[in-house]
Amino acid sequence: MTTTGEVHVDHVTGLTSAQVAERVARGQVNEVGERTSRSIGEIVRANVLTRFNAILGALFVLVMTTGSWADGLFGIVLVVNSAIGIVQEYLAKRKLDRLALLNAPTTRVVRDGETVVIPTHEVVLDDLIELRSGDEVPADGVLLTSEGLELGEANLTGESDPVHHPAGDEILSGTSVVAGSGRYHAKAIGPEAYVNRIAAEARKFTRTYSEIQTSINTLLRYITWVIAFALPLQVWSQWKVVGDEGWQSVVLRSAAGVVGLVPEGLVLLTSVAFLLAAVQLTKDQVLVQQLPAVEGLARVDVVCLDKTGTLTVGEIAFDDVKPVKAGHGSAADEIRCALGALADDPNANGTLAAIGAAIPTPGWHRNGTVPFNSERKWSAACFEDHETWVLGAPEVLLPDDDPLRDDVAELAQRGRRVMLLCRSAEPLDEPVLPDDLAPAAIVTLSEQIRPDARETLGYLAEEGVHIKVISGDNPQTVAAVAREVGLDPGEPVDARTLPEDSDQLREIVSRTTVFGRVSPEQKRAFVHALQADGHVVAMTGDGVNDALALKDADIGVAMGNGAQATKAVAELVLLDGRFAHLPKVLGEGRRVIGNVERVANLFVAKNAMSLLAIVAAALATLPFPFLPRHLTLVSTLTIGIPAFFLALGPNKRRYQPGFLGRILRFAVPAGFIAGLAVFASYVLAGRNYGVPPEEFSTRCEVASSGDVGAVDLACIQPSTGATITLLVVFFWILVVLARPFRWWKAVLIGTMAGLAVLAFMLPIGHQFFGFNAPPALVWSSLGIGVVGAALIEVLHRWSLGVGASPMVSAGQSHDPS
């Protein structure tokens, strides 16, 4: 560890401004936390240095050596794709980084004798750090003072129970304050801090699972193997067929086939869809800390809610205090004084803060504290010349047969948060209840229901998302709140009665909606039980007692006003604490899933078509039907440009598992249909308008090299007919995937079709692309294309019947886009 050397650091006033400046100059500044985005260098490398860019780049260089610039158009597309990806991610990075900076974790430090709050990354070596409940420990050090300090160390050790740390204990970064307070000097920061040295293993950080990214990566592996098989086959077959025309012809025909196998824009559009969804959510005060979380929430079918801060605004108010009946008795004035003294705590939790706002402190001198803990569910303090006072959950502090339990239950059923104030003559040295504990008063607090909670829960219910309300409060109180927001709580369960057996717990959790008196470890167990039943679970919360469950849930959603430890492990942070933002996040996730599926179908269909054309050309000993320029035209008009708009358009269909399976079930047969139609058109046009195979090498050498002005027109007519057929079939695939139609989709497809027609009609178009289309050829090619389109429609309707339809996956049933 880094040591302070000879520099004196005051244990009370902390570092001076000069000492801080000196450490900053030496670079002794804390560097912690996950980045919200990649660096500019990483963005450029991720968008440029890919396996498919390498393949296309090599092909582009080879094509350029032939002198056929028109056939190098795919190189421009390659550059544009990478540039769009870089610019989009950079702009998103700026917005996300700015928002993350505004909501970065903070740390209390003592400098020049004053306690100030600074960003955690500005902590310097030897800073005097003050810890309070809910804080994350930002650096390693040795405690100078401890007021009942308890740390959650599960991130480092896996131990779920909070660990008490007295003064003199070494504490480590990466832990969180569950209860109490303390001070210490930062002795190891940045890369030397324990959590940063063992982050990969000990903190068990896991990236959010993304079905889309996993499926796309699997798909890319498949395509890589396909290219490894098809490339040598294509080169061999084209060398055999057009080798007499020279190596240039072999390169052009071979390149055309391989270019068709590369999904050059698929990864780009997937990344852009994630990024723009995250940026869009920032407008609604939602910080996405991991991009796949946008998709993840759309897959969620169970949401576990913490009542306080989620269904309620989280700001409780003192309601009333009622001394217990005669026999337990305590004077009303003394009780109010005791409550005021308990609330006079610099590390007060929400309950004590609400009491302190209503009851002034009597000025009692505190000489011992047991801070509130979610496991204990009570806090206590000892005072000079006064007794020990304990405030906590009645279910914990009262014997099972105490008649006060009836009064507590009645108040809880009315939606009140009920606490019990007890007294004892025994001093408290450790967090163990005294034997002479006697009830003194029932304290009630009220909570304000969030006005948007009922509507939000209603929306989730309509979308098939189940709700589990999990709270540390009285089960009856939680049930009353649940009823107010429109939930049917059924029979609420006191979590202290739950079995530890995982199978029994799974059964109870599956059929119960409301749970009270839930410990932090039980919240985590609930998440595991639901996941074991195959559910995708989201957990919302704001307190440090929710951190473990948020971390293990598929999607953790933290409230912006919650504890830093909670926000640190969450994938999504609702910056303004409004639970009503969840439907918006759900909608963005659905848009991403549905739209990426749409465009993936387009790319994979093109890959399948190219593979079939390569194999068919090899088996029939024919030139590959296209030059690279032809496939660039088809890809741009039926895939590239439409896919960009379809990937960003609205889409509200419900999530359905089986993303990759649906793509393969539709796109591969659709691509094969397109390939068969293309080859039929190519062969037919070759017989009726082309040249005999034995004359091809002598009459059509220029056609393969791209010099259209000097070519025998009969040589380019078969490729022209094949291109017309391919355009017809792929435009119909686009029509199927774009359903249901909206005006903007009709305009998009109509515009692309118009541009395709112009490529054949305008002199500059057919000169540049090498087209020659006599009317009879046009009609025969269109006819074959229509047959192919009809087969695509049949495939679509068949897949609709087996539940694999791209129309369903694209959102026909629920897409008002």
Side-chain angles (χ1 to χ4, degrees):
M1 288 189 183
T2 305
T3 59
T4 60
E6 299 179 357
V7 179
H8 172 70
V9 182
D10 193 285
H11 292 342
V12 177
T13 62
L15 295 174
T16 65
S17 297
Q19 289 173 323
V20 171
E22 179 186 354
R23 284 159 173 76
V24 171
R26 292 202 300 259
Q28 295 174 323
V29 181
N30 204 24
E31 296 176 0
V32 298
E34 297 289 330
R35 291 179 298 168
T36 58
S37 62
R38 297 187 285 198
S39 68
I40 295 176
E42 290 172 332
I43 290 173
V44 173
R45 287 193 296 272
N47 285 277
V48 175
L49 303 179
T50 68
R51 75 183 85 171
F52 294 119
N53 279 2
I55 294 171
L56 290 177
L59 291 174
F60 175 74
V61 172
L62 285 174
V63 169
M64 288 299 94
T65 61
T66 69
S68 180
W69 296 95
D71 288 310
L73 280 177
F74 68 87
I76 298 176
V77 175
L78 178 71
V79 174
V80 170
N81 271 342
S82 295
I84 290 174
I86 291 169
V87 171
Q88 289 280 15
E89 186 166 353
Y90 173 69
L91 294 176
K93 166 188 169 63
R94 289 180 58 188
K95 292 181 180 179
L96 292 173
D97 286 354
R98 190 180 306 121
L99 188 60
L101 182 62
L102 293 174
N103 295 275
T106 57
T107 298
R108 294 180 193 83
V109 297
V110 181
R111 292 179 178 176
D112 293 318
E114 294 185 2
T115 301
V116 294
V117 179
I118 63 172
T120 298
H121 67 270
E122 293 183 6
V123 171
V124 301
L125 188 67
D126 299 319
D127 249 329
L128 181 57
I129 297 173
E130 183 175 296
L131 297 175
R132 297 182 187 175
S133 180
D135 290 348
E136 276 211 326
V137 178
D140 303 348
V142 177
L143 280 172
L144 299 174
T145 65
S146 172
E147 295 290 336
L149 184 70
E150 297 182 15
L151 299 182
E153 300 180 350
N155 278 350
L156 299 183
T157 66
E159 173 57 53
S160 60
D161 293 332
V163 179
H164 174 67
H165 285 279
D169 269 14
E170 181 182 23
I171 60 175
L172 300 174
S173 52
T175 57
S176 57
V177 181
V178 175
S181 60
R183 284 187 175 187
Y184 75 105
H185 285 298
K187 294 299 181 181
I189 60 174
E192 295 188 20
Y194 182 77
V195 69
N196 292 330
R197 286 189 281 117
I198 62 168
E201 298 84 11
R203 268 194 104 179
K204 306 181 182 73
F205 175 78
T206 55
R207 192 161 296 281
T208 302
Y209 171 77
S210 166
E211 183 182 6
I212 288 180
Q213 291 184 334
T214 301
S215 298
I216 294 298
N217 289 337
T218 301
L219 189 59
L220 295 182
R221 285 197 299 272
Y222 292 166
I223 293 172
T224 300
W225 285 108
V226 168
I227 292 175
F229 158 76
L231 178 58
L233 176 65
Q234 175 76 339
V235 172
W236 172 80
S237 68
Q238 296 310 294
W239 183 268
K240 184 177 179 181
V241 175
V242 298
D244 292 342
E245 302 172 26
W247 65 271
Q248 294 92 341
S249 297
V250 175
V251 167
L252 290 177
R253 295 285 175 175
S254 298
V258 178
V259 166
L261 291 174
V262 177
E264 62 270 12
L266 180 56
V267 177
L268 164 70
L269 289 174
T270 302
S271 300
V272 168
F274 273 127
L275 283 167
L276 294 188
V279 171
Q280 181 65 32
L281 289 172
T282 63
K283 299 177 183 178
D284 292 296
Q285 293 296 297
V286 178
L287 175 61
V288 180
Q289 303 200 108
Q290 291 191 47
L291 291 182
V294 177
E295 171 212 338
L297 193 61
R299 295 188 289 108
V300 163
D301 60 355
V302 177
V303 175
C304 297
L305 306 175
D306 180 28
K307 172 182 68 69
T308 305
T310 303
L311 299 181
T312 64
V313 296
E315 298 175 359
I316 56 177
F318 175 76
D319 183 38
D320 195 10
V321 54
K322 297 180 179 179
V324 299
K325 298 177 181 178
H328 293 97
S330 290
D333 289 343
E334 185 183 16
I335 288 173
R336 294 185 69 87
C337 286
L339 286 173
L342 285 170
D344 184 20
D345 184 345
N347 198 38
N349 61 11
T351 299
L352 290 178
I355 293 172
I359 301 177
T361 175
W364 293 1
H365 183 266
R366 182 188 298 247
N367 56 17
T369 299
V370 176
F372 179 81
N373 174 289
S374 298
E375 293 284 348
R376 288 190 298 270
K377 301 191 183 302
W378 57 269
S379 61
C382 306
F383 303 96
E384 269 186 22
D385 302 324
H386 297 279
E387 295 178 290
T388 295
W389 293 86
V390 180
L391 182 68
E395 297 87 344
V396 176
L397 302 180
L398 287 175
D400 293 340
D401 57 353
D402 195 300
L404 278 178
R405 284 181 172 269
D406 295 334
D407 297 335
V408 169
E410 182 183 352
L411 290 168
Q413 288 173 353
R414 298 209 299 261
R416 294 292 188 267
R417 173 180 284 194
V418 186
M419 307 294 289
L420 186 68
L421 179 67
C422 298
R423 64 192 306 165
S424 169
E426 298 180 12
L428 288 184
D429 297 324
E430 54 186 25
V432 177
L433 290 173
D435 294 331
D436 65 340
L437 196 65
I442 293 176
V443 180
T444 56
L445 303 102
S446 60
E447 296 183 88
Q448 181 181 349
I449 302 294
R450 287 189 179 275
D452 49 24
R454 176 182 286 269
E455 181 180 355
T456 303
L457 293 178
Y459 171 84
L460 293 175
E462 290 175 0
E463 298 301 319
V465 178
H466 300 286
I467 304 297
K468 305 290 181 182
V469 183
I470 301 173
S471 175
D473 210 339
N474 183 291
Q476 297 300 329
T477 302
V478 182
V481 171
R483 278 188 288 268
E484 285 195 53
V485 296
L487 291 176
D488 179 7
E491 185 63 33
V493 170
D494 188 323
R496 294 171 302 168
T497 66
L498 291 175
E500 294 186 2
D501 180 77
S502 58
D503 291 334
Q504 294 179 9
L505 182 64
R506 282 171 58 183
E507 194 276 328
I508 296 173
V509 170
S510 66
R511 58 179 168 82
T512 306
T513 300
V514 172
F515 298 88
R517 299 304 181 201
V518 185
S519 68
E521 182 55 36
Q522 283 180 313
K523 291 184 179 183
R524 190 184 199 184
F526 286 9
V527 169
H528 292 169
L530 290 165
Q531 290 171 330
D533 274 342
H535 294 290
V536 180
V537 183
M539 175 73 195
T540 71
D542 62 346
V544 69
N545 59 315
D546 300 318
L548 289 176
L550 262 70
K551 178 180 174 61
D552 287 1
D554 296 282
I555 298 295
V557 183
M559 300 300 165
N561 57 352
Q564 289 183 20
T566 306
K567 292 187 286 186
V569 300
E571 285 80 22
L572 299 170
V573 181
L574 307 182
L575 298 174
D576 58 4
R578 289 185 58 204
F579 178 58
H581 291 314
L582 279 190
K584 177 68 174 178
V585 182
L586 186 67
E588 284 297 314
R590 288 178 171 181
R591 185 181 66 78
V592 169
I593 292 176
N595 289 343
V596 169
E597 189 168 327
R598 274 175 168 158
V599 302
N601 273 290
L602 289 171
F603 284 105
V604 176
K606 182 195 74 168
N607 301 149
M609 180 280 300
S610 296
L611 177 62
L612 184 69
I614 288 172
V615 174
L619 293 176
T621 320
L622 290 174
F624 188 72
F626 306 107
L627 293 173
R629 70 188 77 173
H630 301 149
L631 286 183
T632 299
L633 174 69
V634 175
S635 296
T636 300
L637 297 183
T638 66
I639 301 174
I641 296 175
F644 185 82
F645 287 96
L646 290 176
L648 305 180
N651 193 328
K652 296 185 178 180
R653 65 99 177 173
R654 292 184 181 180
Y655 165 75
Q656 295 173 314
F659 177 88
L660 181 59
R662 283 194 304 275
I663 291 174
L664 295 177
R665 283 193 296 270
F666 175 79
V668 172
F672 282 171
I673 289 171
L676 290 172
V678 161
F679 211 72
S681 179
Y682 185 65
V683 171
L684 181 63
R687 288 180 178 175
N688 296 333
Y689 302 95
V691 297
E694 62 271 12
E695 300 179 20
F696 191 87
S697 61
T698 56
R699 292 176 58 183
C700 300
E701 178 180 356
V702 182
S704 293
S705 65
D707 186 2
V708 179
V711 75
D712 186 335
L713 295 180
C715 296
I716 62 176
Q717 288 169 350
S719 291
T720 301
T723 304
I724 292 172
T725 298
L726 184 60
L727 282 167
V728 172
V729 176
F730 260 84
F731 268 119
W732 199 254
I733 293 175
L734 179 61
V735 166
V736 167
L737 295 173
R739 294 171 181 168
F741 274 113
R742 296 294 179 265
W743 68 267
W744 65 272
K745 295 178 186 176
V747 170
L748 173 65
I749 296 175
T751 301
M752 296 299 102
L755 291 174
V757 171
L758 291 177
F760 290 89
M761 294 185 63
L762 295 179
I764 189 175
H766 58 69
Q767 178 68 23
F768 182 84
F769 289 104
F771 291 145
N772 183 260
L777 173 64
V778 172
W779 287 113
S780 65
S781 301
L782 287 175
I784 296 174
V786 169
V787 172
L791 292 175
I792 294 295
E793 186 67 25
V794 171
L795 170 66
H796 155 65
R797 293 181 183 275
W798 170 81
S799 59
L800 181 65
V802 298
S805 171
M807 191 181 294
V808 174
S809 69
Q812 177 163 340
S813 300
H814 301 87
D815 182 8
S817 52

